[in-house]
Amino acid sequence: MAKTGGLPVDLASAFDASPNPYVLVTPDLRIAGLNQAYLDVTSSTRETTIGRPLFAAFDSGPGAEAPENVRQVRASLEKARDTRQPDHLAVVKFAISRPGPNGDALFEDRFWSATHTPILDEAGEVVFLLQHTTDITELQRLRAMTAGMEGANAVDLLGGAVLGRAQAVQEDNQRLQTERNQLVEMFMQAPGFVTILSGPQHVFQMHNPAYAQLIGHRVIAGKPIREALPELTGQGFYELLDTVYETGEPHEGRASRVQLQRSPEGPLETVYLNFIYQPIRDASGKVAGIFVQGHDVTDTIVAAERQKLMIDELNHRVKNTLATVQSIAMRTARSHADPKTFAEGFQARLLALSHTHDLLTRSHWEGADLRAILQHETEAHGPQRISLNGQPVALGAAAALSLGMILHELATNAAKYGALSGPEGRVLIDWAVADQTNPVMHLTWREIDGPPVVEPTRRGFGSRLIERNVRHDLAGEVKLEYATSGFTAEFMVPLDREKSE
């Protein structure tokens, strides 16, 4: 079938032949088609009108406020577009240009009744809006003429009453529209997420920006929830909605775990929600939809879980620390008969433990760097006497505490009996990490230029602490060598032990 201006020939002819003005506009309110009656009323041509904004003639520039009649028509069109339902204006006044006797333009006030009808495509989306207007000027004038007349005939009174009721209805509609706009504004500005679902398929009617942010700003308007949010399959939320719709009983969820795909082709993200499904009833009391409202409490839940984990970890660390202090006290007491020397040795070891605790506290007990621990435990002897050579090595909390104690013992022994006990002695500390798949740290403590070394005849507390910490706490190996030229300690410590526990 041939077409004219996008319409089949027979429909286009009927459209053009109507005595009432018709205009077809796009959803953004641009003129897409019009009939001859509309051209006659507006004294325009198709060539100058098609594609222009419907209200271009009333556009006074940025910031200017449109006349009241233009605002009424625009609001009615937008309502029809947004609700996908026809909207009616009972009375609206527009001035129409007429040619004057001298060829100049004269303007005449005319009164119109307008109907705005959305035209939908197969997917239910608005593709056009049809405006149909009827000139009711004569009826308005009839009412004005009969308003002050006594004994007016029934026709006059009827005409005036009909028009009066029409205007009253329109005023009520405008009041209701204002109230609706206020409610919509409150809906959109709600701090929590809000959406309205209709029908047994739970079709999205409207939602606020907080809901859009929650689901990743997807296009969901007019779609059933199973189509709009397919990742909810198997999570129980479809079934909850079905139950609320069937029973009319609301459902409240607390800290409910939900997995959402918040970006296209992205992974599922876990969020926690407090929400309520509240049934919406029609005039007959039957459930027609569901009002969904809630808050994203993911940050609160994650913080609570982290706090619990930290408290559990703190309890564990306190027990371990107390056990370490008890062990230090007992072993120090065995090797120091004199209370004074016991107190000095015990206090020094507690300070070493405290220094490492300080380092770990700065990183929220996530670990510490090996070089930082070495500097802490040897700084009292002067940086010019301690040489540190190695790459950055991140240690877990447990490994940091154990190595801090070991390095303190080595530094204390060096100051008492080894290289640091004389003016020329120095300590060289080298380390490296081998095998990145299963990383193992090799660390060498080597003392040079000190007094001759004599291997002890018995194992003291320091050497026992070192060997115990390396083998038990670090699952590593240690070799202590008392060469005449200087004491040497070699360590091999696996670095992935804490991750595997």
Side-chain angles (χ1 to χ4, degrees), residues 194-200 202-203 205-206 237-238 240-246 248-251 276-281 287-293:
V194 185
T195 187
I196 294 176
L197 308 173
S198 67
H202 317 301
V203 177
Q205 294 300 307
M206 59 189 304
F237 295 97
Y238 301 152
L240 285 175
L241 287 168
D242 292 340
T243 300
V244 172
Y245 190 87
E246 293 167 3
E249 296 294 329
H251 173 82
I276 186 168
Y277 291 159
Q278 183 70 41
I280 302 172
R281 299 182 184 276
V287 176
I290 297 175
F291 181 80
V292 180
Q293 187 271 334

PDB file of all heavy atoms in Angstrom, residues 194-200 202-203 205-206 237-238 240-246 248-251 276-281 287-293:
ATOM      1  N   VAL A 194      13.603   2.871  45.911  1.00  0.00           N
ATOM      2  CA  VAL A 194      12.155   2.709  45.826  1.00  0.00           C
ATOM      3  C   VAL A 194      11.796   2.333  44.394  1.00  0.00           C
ATOM      4  O   VAL A 194      12.354   2.882  43.436  1.00  0.00           O
ATOM      5  CB  VAL A 194      11.404   4.002  46.206  1.00  0.00           C
ATOM      6  CG1 VAL A 194       9.894   3.766  46.240  1.00  0.00           C
ATOM      7  CG2 VAL A 194      11.866   4.532  47.546  1.00  0.00           C
ATOM      8  N   THR A 195      10.865   1.393  44.232  1.00  0.00           N
ATOM      9  CA  THR A 195      10.335   1.079  42.908  1.00  0.00           C
ATOM     10  C   THR A 195       8.914   0.559  43.067  1.00  0.00           C
ATOM     11  O   THR A 195       8.518   0.101  44.146  1.00  0.00           O
ATOM     12  CB  THR A 195      11.205   0.034  42.176  1.00  0.00           C
ATOM     13  OG1 THR A 195      10.723  -0.104  40.827  1.00  0.00           O
ATOM     14  CG2 THR A 195      11.169  -1.320  42.867  1.00  0.00           C
ATOM     15  N   ILE A 196       8.137   0.668  41.980  1.00  0.00           N
ATOM     16  CA  ILE A 196       6.759   0.180  41.961  1.00  0.00           C
ATOM     17  C   ILE A 196       6.642  -0.872  40.865  1.00  0.00           C
ATOM     18  O   ILE A 196       7.006  -0.623  39.707  1.00  0.00           O
ATOM     19  CB  ILE A 196       5.765   1.330  41.709  1.00  0.00           C
ATOM     20  CG1 ILE A 196       5.792   2.303  42.895  1.00  0.00           C
ATOM     21  CG2 ILE A 196       4.352   0.795  41.514  1.00  0.00           C
ATOM     22  CD1 ILE A 196       4.921   3.527  42.709  1.00  0.00           C
ATOM     23  N   LEU A 197       6.158  -2.051  41.246  1.00  0.00           N
ATOM     24  CA  LEU A 197       5.953  -3.160  40.309  1.00  0.00           C
ATOM     25  C   LEU A 197       4.452  -3.384  40.152  1.00  0.00           C
ATOM     26  O   LEU A 197       3.701  -3.298  41.119  1.00  0.00           O
ATOM     27  CB  LEU A 197       6.613  -4.430  40.843  1.00  0.00           C
ATOM     28  CG  LEU A 197       8.095  -4.322  41.248  1.00  0.00           C
ATOM     29  CD1 LEU A 197       8.554  -5.607  41.906  1.00  0.00           C
ATOM     30  CD2 LEU A 197       8.955  -3.995  40.052  1.00  0.00           C
ATOM     31  N   SER A 198       4.014  -3.690  38.917  1.00  0.00           N
ATOM     32  CA  SER A 198       2.583  -3.903  38.688  1.00  0.00           C
ATOM     33  C   SER A 198       2.328  -5.282  38.094  1.00  0.00           C
ATOM     34  O   SER A 198       3.159  -5.830  37.369  1.00  0.00           O
ATOM     35  CB  SER A 198       2.027  -2.828  37.740  1.00  0.00           C
ATOM     36  OG  SER A 198       2.580  -2.972  36.445  1.00  0.00           O
ATOM     37  N   GLY A 199       1.158  -5.826  38.440  1.00  0.00           N
ATOM     38  CA  GLY A 199       0.712  -7.080  37.856  1.00  0.00           C
ATOM     39  C   GLY A 199       1.432  -8.300  38.382  1.00  0.00           C
ATOM     40  O   GLY A 199       2.431  -8.209  39.100  1.00  0.00           O
ATOM     41  N   PRO A 200       0.938  -9.471  37.999  1.00  0.00           N
ATOM     42  CA  PRO A 200       1.533 -10.731  38.489  1.00  0.00           C
ATOM     43  C   PRO A 200       2.938 -10.982  37.960  1.00  0.00           C
ATOM     44  O   PRO A 200       3.677 -11.782  38.520  1.00  0.00           O
ATOM     45  CB  PRO A 200       0.545 -11.796  37.997  1.00  0.00           C
ATOM     46  CG  PRO A 200      -0.137 -11.169  36.825  1.00  0.00           C
ATOM     47  CD  PRO A 200      -0.243  -9.705  37.140  1.00  0.00           C
ATOM     48  N   HIS A 202       5.133  -8.569  37.803  1.00  0.00           N
ATOM     49  CA  HIS A 202       5.960  -7.587  38.510  1.00  0.00           C
ATOM     50  C   HIS A 202       6.712  -6.693  37.511  1.00  0.00           C
ATOM     51  O   HIS A 202       7.948  -6.670  37.456  1.00  0.00           O
ATOM     52  CB  HIS A 202       6.942  -8.271  39.456  1.00  0.00           C
ATOM     53  CG  HIS A 202       6.342  -9.398  40.231  1.00  0.00           C
ATOM     54  ND1 HIS A 202       5.253  -9.236  41.067  1.00  0.00           N
ATOM     55  CD2 HIS A 202       6.643 -10.731  40.283  1.00  0.00           C
ATOM     56  CE1 HIS A 202       4.939 -10.402  41.597  1.00  0.00           C
ATOM     57  NE2 HIS A 202       5.754 -11.326  41.143  1.00  0.00           N
ATOM     58  N   VAL A 203       5.934  -5.941  36.736  1.00  0.00           N
ATOM     59  CA  VAL A 203       6.485  -5.053  35.710  1.00  0.00           C
ATOM     60  C   VAL A 203       6.900  -3.733  36.362  1.00  0.00           C
ATOM     61  O   VAL A 203       6.148  -3.141  37.136  1.00  0.00           O
ATOM     62  CB  VAL A 203       5.449  -4.802  34.595  1.00  0.00           C
ATOM     63  CG1 VAL A 203       5.999  -3.815  33.570  1.00  0.00           C
ATOM     64  CG2 VAL A 203       5.068  -6.115  33.929  1.00  0.00           C
ATOM     65  N   GLN A 205       7.147  -0.063  36.896  1.00  0.00           N
ATOM     66  CA  GLN A 205       6.421   1.124  36.483  1.00  0.00           C
ATOM     67  C   GLN A 205       7.274   2.378  36.652  1.00  0.00           C
ATOM     68  O   GLN A 205       7.316   3.219  35.772  1.00  0.00           O
ATOM     69  CB  GLN A 205       5.129   1.263  37.295  1.00  0.00           C
ATOM     70  CG  GLN A 205       4.127   0.166  37.014  1.00  0.00           C
ATOM     71  CD  GLN A 205       3.717   0.144  35.535  1.00  0.00           C
ATOM     72  OE1 GLN A 205       3.309   1.152  34.985  1.00  0.00           O
ATOM     73  NE2 GLN A 205       3.834  -1.014  34.915  1.00  0.00           N
ATOM     74  N   MET A 206       7.920   2.496  37.790  1.00  0.00           N
ATOM     75  CA  MET A 206       8.809   3.635  38.025  1.00  0.00           C
ATOM     76  C   MET A 206       9.774   3.270  39.152  1.00  0.00           C
ATOM     77  O   MET A 206       9.507   2.381  39.969  1.00  0.00           O
ATOM     78  CB  MET A 206       8.019   4.907  38.369  1.00  0.00           C
ATOM     79  CG  MET A 206       7.142   4.809  39.606  1.00  0.00           C
ATOM     80  SD  MET A 206       6.034   6.237  39.804  1.00  0.00           S
ATOM     81  CE  MET A 206       7.187   7.593  39.813  1.00  0.00           C
ATOM     82  N   PHE A 237      14.025 -14.211  45.283  1.00  0.00           N
ATOM     83  CA  PHE A 237      13.296 -12.945  45.317  1.00  0.00           C
ATOM     84  C   PHE A 237      12.076 -12.952  44.396  1.00  0.00           C
ATOM     85  O   PHE A 237      11.056 -12.321  44.713  1.00  0.00           O
ATOM     86  CB  PHE A 237      14.238 -11.791  44.969  1.00  0.00           C
ATOM     87  CG  PHE A 237      15.314 -11.602  46.000  1.00  0.00           C
ATOM     88  CD1 PHE A 237      16.575 -12.149  45.813  1.00  0.00           C
ATOM     89  CD2 PHE A 237      15.057 -10.921  47.175  1.00  0.00           C
ATOM     90  CE1 PHE A 237      17.561 -12.000  46.773  1.00  0.00           C
ATOM     91  CE2 PHE A 237      16.038 -10.765  48.143  1.00  0.00           C
ATOM     92  CZ  PHE A 237      17.291 -11.309  47.936  1.00  0.00           C
ATOM     93  N   TYR A 238      12.162 -13.627  43.253  1.00  0.00           N
ATOM     94  CA  TYR A 238      10.969 -13.760  42.404  1.00  0.00           C
ATOM     95  C   TYR A 238       9.850 -14.435  43.199  1.00  0.00           C
ATOM     96  O   TYR A 238       8.689 -13.995  43.163  1.00  0.00           O
ATOM     97  CB  TYR A 238      11.259 -14.612  41.164  1.00  0.00           C
ATOM     98  CG  TYR A 238      12.346 -14.129  40.251  1.00  0.00           C
ATOM     99  CD1 TYR A 238      13.080 -15.042  39.481  1.00  0.00           C
ATOM    100  CD2 TYR A 238      12.649 -12.791  40.123  1.00  0.00           C
ATOM    101  CE1 TYR A 238      14.074 -14.620  38.629  1.00  0.00           C
ATOM    102  CE2 TYR A 238      13.652 -12.356  39.274  1.00  0.00           C
ATOM    103  CZ  TYR A 238      14.361 -13.280  38.524  1.00  0.00           C
ATOM    104  OH  TYR A 238      15.335 -12.872  37.664  1.00  0.00           O
ATOM    105  N   LEU A 240       9.419 -14.623  46.438  1.00  0.00           N
ATOM    106  CA  LEU A 240       8.893 -13.755  47.494  1.00  0.00           C
ATOM    107  C   LEU A 240       7.872 -12.775  46.937  1.00  0.00           C
ATOM    108  O   LEU A 240       6.814 -12.541  47.533  1.00  0.00           O
ATOM    109  CB  LEU A 240      10.036 -12.998  48.161  1.00  0.00           C
ATOM    110  CG  LEU A 240      10.925 -13.786  49.131  1.00  0.00           C
ATOM    111  CD1 LEU A 240      12.082 -12.913  49.612  1.00  0.00           C
ATOM    112  CD2 LEU A 240      10.128 -14.284  50.319  1.00  0.00           C
ATOM    113  N   LEU A 241       8.183 -12.183  45.775  1.00  0.00           N
ATOM    114  CA  LEU A 241       7.246 -11.255  45.135  1.00  0.00           C
ATOM    115  C   LEU A 241       5.951 -11.969  44.760  1.00  0.00           C
ATOM    116  O   LEU A 241       4.850 -11.427  44.953  1.00  0.00           O
ATOM    117  CB  LEU A 241       7.892 -10.630  43.901  1.00  0.00           C
ATOM    118  CG  LEU A 241       8.985  -9.586  44.167  1.00  0.00           C
ATOM    119  CD1 LEU A 241       9.739  -9.270  42.887  1.00  0.00           C
ATOM    120  CD2 LEU A 241       8.391  -8.307  44.746  1.00  0.00           C
ATOM    121  N   ASP A 242       6.074 -13.175  44.216  1.00  0.00           N
ATOM    122  CA  ASP A 242       4.876 -13.946  43.849  1.00  0.00           C
ATOM    123  C   ASP A 242       4.002 -14.189  45.079  1.00  0.00           C
ATOM    124  O   ASP A 242       2.773 -14.051  45.018  1.00  0.00           O
ATOM    125  CB  ASP A 242       5.282 -15.295  43.232  1.00  0.00           C
ATOM    126  CG  ASP A 242       5.948 -15.138  41.872  1.00  0.00           C
ATOM    127  OD1 ASP A 242       5.767 -14.070  41.247  1.00  0.00           O
ATOM    128  OD2 ASP A 242       6.641 -16.080  41.442  1.00  0.00           O
ATOM    129  N   THR A 243       4.632 -14.529  46.198  1.00  0.00           N
ATOM    130  CA  THR A 243       3.880 -14.808  47.423  1.00  0.00           C
ATOM    131  C   THR A 243       3.158 -13.568  47.930  1.00  0.00           C
ATOM    132  O   THR A 243       1.988 -13.619  48.332  1.00  0.00           O
ATOM    133  CB  THR A 243       4.822 -15.354  48.516  1.00  0.00           C
ATOM    134  OG1 THR A 243       5.426 -16.562  48.048  1.00  0.00           O
ATOM    135  CG2 THR A 243       4.069 -15.636  49.798  1.00  0.00           C
ATOM    136  N   VAL A 244       3.857 -12.430  47.926  1.00  0.00           N
ATOM    137  CA  VAL A 244       3.224 -11.179  48.377  1.00  0.00           C
ATOM    138  C   VAL A 244       2.046 -10.821  47.477  1.00  0.00           C
ATOM    139  O   VAL A 244       0.988 -10.403  47.957  1.00  0.00           O
ATOM    140  CB  VAL A 244       4.265 -10.038  48.396  1.00  0.00           C
ATOM    141  CG1 VAL A 244       3.590  -8.695  48.672  1.00  0.00           C
ATOM    142  CG2 VAL A 244       5.331 -10.312  49.447  1.00  0.00           C
ATOM    143  N   TYR A 245       2.214 -11.017  46.162  1.00  0.00           N
ATOM    144  CA  TYR A 245       1.132 -10.693  45.229  1.00  0.00           C
ATOM    145  C   TYR A 245      -0.069 -11.618  45.436  1.00  0.00           C
ATOM    146  O   TYR A 245      -1.221 -11.176  45.371  1.00  0.00           O
ATOM    147  CB  TYR A 245       1.648 -10.807  43.790  1.00  0.00           C
ATOM    148  CG  TYR A 245       0.680 -10.260  42.758  1.00  0.00           C
ATOM    149  CD1 TYR A 245       0.694  -8.907  42.427  1.00  0.00           C
ATOM    150  CD2 TYR A 245      -0.249 -11.089  42.130  1.00  0.00           C
ATOM    151  CE1 TYR A 245      -0.189  -8.399  41.489  1.00  0.00           C
ATOM    152  CE2 TYR A 245      -1.137 -10.591  41.198  1.00  0.00           C
ATOM    153  CZ  TYR A 245      -1.103  -9.244  40.881  1.00  0.00           C
ATOM    154  OH  TYR A 245      -1.990  -8.736  39.966  1.00  0.00           O
ATOM    155  N   GLU A 246       0.189 -12.886  45.696  1.00  0.00           N
ATOM    156  CA  GLU A 246      -0.907 -13.856  45.840  1.00  0.00           C
ATOM    157  C   GLU A 246      -1.610 -13.761  47.188  1.00  0.00           C
ATOM    158  O   GLU A 246      -2.825 -13.912  47.282  1.00  0.00           O
ATOM    159  CB  GLU A 246      -0.358 -15.274  45.636  1.00  0.00           C
ATOM    160  CG  GLU A 246       0.111 -15.546  44.209  1.00  0.00           C
ATOM    161  CD  GLU A 246       0.932 -16.818  44.104  1.00  0.00           C
ATOM    162  OE1 GLU A 246       1.077 -17.509  45.135  1.00  0.00           O
ATOM    163  OE2 GLU A 246       1.435 -17.116  43.003  1.00  0.00           O
ATOM    164  N   GLY A 248      -1.250 -11.084  49.526  1.00  0.00           N
ATOM    165  CA  GLY A 248      -1.528  -9.734  50.012  1.00  0.00           C
ATOM    166  C   GLY A 248      -0.841  -9.416  51.318  1.00  0.00           C
ATOM    167  O   GLY A 248      -1.102  -8.380  51.936  1.00  0.00           O
ATOM    168  N   GLU A 249       0.071 -10.292  51.767  1.00  0.00           N
ATOM    169  CA  GLU A 249       0.805 -10.074  53.014  1.00  0.00           C
ATOM    170  C   GLU A 249       2.185  -9.489  52.704  1.00  0.00           C
ATOM    171  O   GLU A 249       2.904 -10.005  51.850  1.00  0.00           O
ATOM    172  CB  GLU A 249       0.973 -11.386  53.779  1.00  0.00           C
ATOM    173  CG  GLU A 249      -0.328 -12.015  54.246  1.00  0.00           C
ATOM    174  CD  GLU A 249      -1.028 -11.165  55.285  1.00  0.00           C
ATOM    175  OE1 GLU A 249      -0.318 -10.474  56.052  1.00  0.00           O
ATOM    176  OE2 GLU A 249      -2.273 -11.177  55.328  1.00  0.00           O
ATOM    177  N   PRO A 250       2.565  -8.395  53.381  1.00  0.00           N
ATOM    178  CA  PRO A 250       3.883  -7.799  53.113  1.00  0.00           C
ATOM    179  C   PRO A 250       5.016  -8.707  53.577  1.00  0.00           C
ATOM    180  O   PRO A 250       4.821  -9.591  54.419  1.00  0.00           O
ATOM    181  CB  PRO A 250       3.851  -6.495  53.921  1.00  0.00           C
ATOM    182  CG  PRO A 250       2.851  -6.742  54.999  1.00  0.00           C
ATOM    183  CD  PRO A 250       1.812  -7.666  54.413  1.00  0.00           C
ATOM    184  N   HIS A 251       6.195  -8.481  53.038  1.00  0.00           N
ATOM    185  CA  HIS A 251       7.390  -9.248  53.445  1.00  0.00           C
ATOM    186  C   HIS A 251       8.511  -8.257  53.731  1.00  0.00           C
ATOM    187  O   HIS A 251       8.757  -7.323  52.963  1.00  0.00           O
ATOM    188  CB  HIS A 251       7.827 -10.204  52.341  1.00  0.00           C
ATOM    189  CG  HIS A 251       9.140 -10.889  52.663  1.00  0.00           C
ATOM    190  ND1 HIS A 251       9.224 -11.992  53.475  1.00  0.00           N
ATOM    191  CD2 HIS A 251      10.417 -10.589  52.297  1.00  0.00           C
ATOM    192  CE1 HIS A 251      10.481 -12.356  53.588  1.00  0.00           C
ATOM    193  NE2 HIS A 251      11.234 -11.521  52.883  1.00  0.00           N
ATOM    194  N   ILE A 276      11.396  -3.935  52.152  1.00  0.00           N
ATOM    195  CA  ILE A 276      10.037  -4.402  52.403  1.00  0.00           C
ATOM    196  C   ILE A 276       9.294  -4.460  51.080  1.00  0.00           C
ATOM    197  O   ILE A 276       9.448  -3.599  50.219  1.00  0.00           O
ATOM    198  CB  ILE A 276       9.295  -3.486  53.413  1.00  0.00           C
ATOM    199  CG1 ILE A 276       7.936  -4.097  53.761  1.00  0.00           C
ATOM    200  CG2 ILE A 276       9.168  -2.060  52.888  1.00  0.00           C
ATOM    201  CD1 ILE A 276       7.254  -3.437  54.938  1.00  0.00           C
ATOM    202  N   TYR A 277       8.529  -5.541  50.888  1.00  0.00           N
ATOM    203  CA  TYR A 277       7.604  -5.683  49.763  1.00  0.00           C
ATOM    204  C   TYR A 277       6.200  -5.413  50.311  1.00  0.00           C
ATOM    205  O   TYR A 277       5.687  -6.193  51.119  1.00  0.00           O
ATOM    206  CB  TYR A 277       7.652  -7.096  49.176  1.00  0.00           C
ATOM    207  CG  TYR A 277       8.938  -7.452  48.452  1.00  0.00           C
ATOM    208  CD1 TYR A 277       9.293  -8.791  48.272  1.00  0.00           C
ATOM    209  CD2 TYR A 277       9.782  -6.482  47.948  1.00  0.00           C
ATOM    210  CE1 TYR A 277      10.457  -9.142  47.600  1.00  0.00           C
ATOM    211  CE2 TYR A 277      10.951  -6.816  47.286  1.00  0.00           C
ATOM    212  CZ  TYR A 277      11.278  -8.144  47.114  1.00  0.00           C
ATOM    213  OH  TYR A 277      12.426  -8.480  46.452  1.00  0.00           O
ATOM    214  N   GLN A 278       5.592  -4.307  49.895  1.00  0.00           N
ATOM    215  CA  GLN A 278       4.285  -3.917  50.398  1.00  0.00           C
ATOM    216  C   GLN A 278       3.259  -4.019  49.267  1.00  0.00           C
ATOM    217  O   GLN A 278       3.416  -3.382  48.233  1.00  0.00           O
ATOM    218  CB  GLN A 278       4.327  -2.475  50.919  1.00  0.00           C
ATOM    219  CG  GLN A 278       3.029  -1.991  51.530  1.00  0.00           C
ATOM    220  CD  GLN A 278       2.732  -2.670  52.860  1.00  0.00           C
ATOM    221  OE1 GLN A 278       3.603  -2.866  53.671  1.00  0.00           O
ATOM    222  NE2 GLN A 278       1.480  -3.038  53.062  1.00  0.00           N
ATOM    223  N   PRO A 279       2.194  -4.835  49.412  1.00  0.00           N
ATOM    224  CA  PRO A 279       1.206  -4.959  48.334  1.00  0.00           C
ATOM    225  C   PRO A 279       0.452  -3.647  48.099  1.00  0.00           C
ATOM    226  O   PRO A 279       0.164  -2.910  49.044  1.00  0.00           O
ATOM    227  CB  PRO A 279       0.276  -6.055  48.843  1.00  0.00           C
ATOM    228  CG  PRO A 279       0.460  -6.082  50.320  1.00  0.00           C
ATOM    229  CD  PRO A 279       1.873  -5.676  50.572  1.00  0.00           C
ATOM    230  N   ILE A 280       0.153  -3.360  46.836  1.00  0.00           N
ATOM    231  CA  ILE A 280      -0.658  -2.205  46.435  1.00  0.00           C
ATOM    232  C   ILE A 280      -2.003  -2.738  45.955  1.00  0.00           C
ATOM    233  O   ILE A 280      -2.053  -3.609  45.086  1.00  0.00           O
ATOM    234  CB  ILE A 280       0.026  -1.408  45.304  1.00  0.00           C
ATOM    235  CG1 ILE A 280       1.417  -0.935  45.747  1.00  0.00           C
ATOM    236  CG2 ILE A 280      -0.835  -0.217  44.883  1.00  0.00           C
ATOM    237  CD1 ILE A 280       2.228  -0.311  44.626  1.00  0.00           C
ATOM    238  N   ARG A 281      -3.103  -2.199  46.504  1.00  0.00           N
ATOM    239  CA  ARG A 281      -4.444  -2.701  46.166  1.00  0.00           C
ATOM    240  C   ARG A 281      -5.191  -1.691  45.309  1.00  0.00           C
ATOM    241  O   ARG A 281      -5.022  -0.470  45.449  1.00  0.00           O
ATOM    242  CB  ARG A 281      -5.234  -3.000  47.441  1.00  0.00           C
ATOM    243  CG  ARG A 281      -4.569  -4.065  48.316  1.00  0.00           C
ATOM    244  CD  ARG A 281      -5.376  -4.387  49.560  1.00  0.00           C
ATOM    245  NE  ARG A 281      -4.689  -5.331  50.423  1.00  0.00           N
ATOM    246  CZ  ARG A 281      -4.736  -6.658  50.264  1.00  0.00           C
ATOM    247  NH1 ARG A 281      -5.487  -7.170  49.282  1.00  0.00           N
ATOM    248  NH2 ARG A 281      -4.074  -7.457  51.077  1.00  0.00           N
ATOM    249  N   VAL A 287      -5.047  -7.079  45.008  1.00  0.00           N
ATOM    250  CA  VAL A 287      -3.640  -6.693  44.848  1.00  0.00           C
ATOM    251  C   VAL A 287      -3.354  -6.431  43.372  1.00  0.00           C
ATOM    252  O   VAL A 287      -3.599  -7.284  42.512  1.00  0.00           O
ATOM    253  CB  VAL A 287      -2.691  -7.782  45.386  1.00  0.00           C
ATOM    254  CG1 VAL A 287      -1.235  -7.402  45.119  1.00  0.00           C
ATOM    255  CG2 VAL A 287      -2.911  -7.981  46.888  1.00  0.00           C
ATOM    256  N   ALA A 288      -2.864  -5.217  43.086  1.00  0.00           N
ATOM    257  CA  ALA A 288      -2.564  -4.827  41.706  1.00  0.00           C
ATOM    258  C   ALA A 288      -1.067  -4.670  41.463  1.00  0.00           C
ATOM    259  O   ALA A 288      -0.621  -4.638  40.319  1.00  0.00           O
ATOM    260  CB  ALA A 288      -3.278  -3.513  41.365  1.00  0.00           C
ATOM    261  N   GLY A 289      -0.299  -4.557  42.515  1.00  0.00           N
ATOM    262  CA  GLY A 289       1.139  -4.364  42.353  1.00  0.00           C
ATOM    263  C   GLY A 289       1.841  -4.448  43.692  1.00  0.00           C
ATOM    264  O   GLY A 289       1.237  -4.765  44.720  1.00  0.00           O
ATOM    265  N   ILE A 290       3.136  -4.141  43.684  1.00  0.00           N
ATOM    266  CA  ILE A 290       3.950  -4.216  44.903  1.00  0.00           C
ATOM    267  C   ILE A 290       4.842  -2.985  44.974  1.00  0.00           C
ATOM    268  O   ILE A 290       5.492  -2.607  43.991  1.00  0.00           O
ATOM    269  CB  ILE A 290       4.805  -5.495  44.923  1.00  0.00           C
ATOM    270  CG1 ILE A 290       3.896  -6.732  44.959  1.00  0.00           C
ATOM    271  CG2 ILE A 290       5.742  -5.504  46.132  1.00  0.00           C
ATOM    272  CD1 ILE A 290       4.651  -8.046  44.868  1.00  0.00           C
ATOM    273  N   PHE A 291       4.846  -2.366  46.136  1.00  0.00           N
ATOM    274  CA  PHE A 291       5.717  -1.225  46.418  1.00  0.00           C
ATOM    275  C   PHE A 291       6.970  -1.762  47.116  1.00  0.00           C
ATOM    276  O   PHE A 291       6.871  -2.432  48.142  1.00  0.00           O
ATOM    277  CB  PHE A 291       4.985  -0.234  47.322  1.00  0.00           C
ATOM    278  CG  PHE A 291       5.776   0.996  47.660  1.00  0.00           C
ATOM    279  CD1 PHE A 291       5.877   2.046  46.776  1.00  0.00           C
ATOM    280  CD2 PHE A 291       6.428   1.096  48.889  1.00  0.00           C
ATOM    281  CE1 PHE A 291       6.598   3.192  47.099  1.00  0.00           C
ATOM    282  CE2 PHE A 291       7.152   2.231  49.224  1.00  0.00           C
ATOM    283  CZ  PHE A 291       7.231   3.288  48.322  1.00  0.00           C
ATOM    284  N   VAL A 292       8.118  -1.477  46.535  1.00  0.00           N
ATOM    285  CA  VAL A 292       9.394  -1.970  47.062  1.00  0.00           C
ATOM    286  C   VAL A 292      10.184  -0.781  47.610  1.00  0.00           C
ATOM    287  O   VAL A 292      10.376   0.216  46.913  1.00  0.00           O
ATOM    288  CB  VAL A 292      10.218  -2.676  45.973  1.00  0.00           C
ATOM    289  CG1 VAL A 292      11.547  -3.179  46.535  1.00  0.00           C
ATOM    290  CG2 VAL A 292       9.425  -3.823  45.357  1.00  0.00           C
ATOM    291  N   GLN A 293      10.628  -0.891  48.855  1.00  0.00           N
ATOM    292  CA  GLN A 293      11.400   0.187  49.469  1.00  0.00           C
ATOM    293  C   GLN A 293      12.467  -0.429  50.363  1.00  0.00           C
ATOM    294  O   GLN A 293      12.237  -1.450  51.012  1.00  0.00           O
ATOM    295  CB  GLN A 293      10.490   1.093  50.291  1.00  0.00           C
ATOM    296  CG  GLN A 293      11.158   2.346  50.852  1.00  0.00           C
ATOM    297  CD  GLN A 293      11.789   2.154  52.208  1.00  0.00           C
ATOM    298  OE1 GLN A 293      11.367   1.284  52.959  1.00  0.00           O
ATOM    299  NE2 GLN A 293      12.796   2.943  52.536  1.00  0.00           N
TER     300      GLN A 293
END
